[in-house]
Amino acid sequence: MKSPQANDSWFQGVAARDIHMEQLKKAERFNGRAAMVGIVIGIITEGLTGAGIVHQIGLGPLVDGYAACRTQFLPFCF
């Protein structure tokens, strides 16, 4: 027969794992909702200003350079 201490440590381990999984679920749910809000705000801003999401976060010149390279507007490609 198992000792009461071994049984208690097993229950504590199971409880700790359950608590961790619940915290992980809450964090993932929050991250997903924050991402959805960010995308909606980016789309609304794009509709109002005409600047795409990539330009809004400051990566516009990188995308513009790639587009110019792909359409042969630049004499060199990176």
Side-chain angles (χ1 to χ4, degrees):
M1 182 169 159
K2 290 184 179 179
S3 68
Q5 290 175 343
N7 223 7
D8 287 346
S9 67
W10 182 82
F11 283 122
Q12 288 174 355
V14 170
R17 187 178 69 231
D18 289 345
I19 290 169
H20 175 72
M21 290 303 293
E22 188 62 33
Q23 290 173 342
L24 184 64
K25 286 178 187 177
K26 287 181 181 179
E28 289 295 328
R29 190 177 304 127
F30 177 79
N31 287 340
R33 290 175 179 170
M36 287 186 277
V37 168
I39 291 293
V40 168
I41 290 172
I43 290 171
I44 290 171
T45 304
E46 182 176 355
L48 294 174
T49 64
I53 293 176
V54 177
H55 286 82
Q56 294 173 27
I57 62 173
L59 297 176
L62 180 66
V63 173
D64 293 341
Y66 178 75
C69 182
R70 294 293 293 169
T71 57
Q72 305 302 322
F73 289 140
L74 295 176
F76 57 90
C77 290
F78 45 92

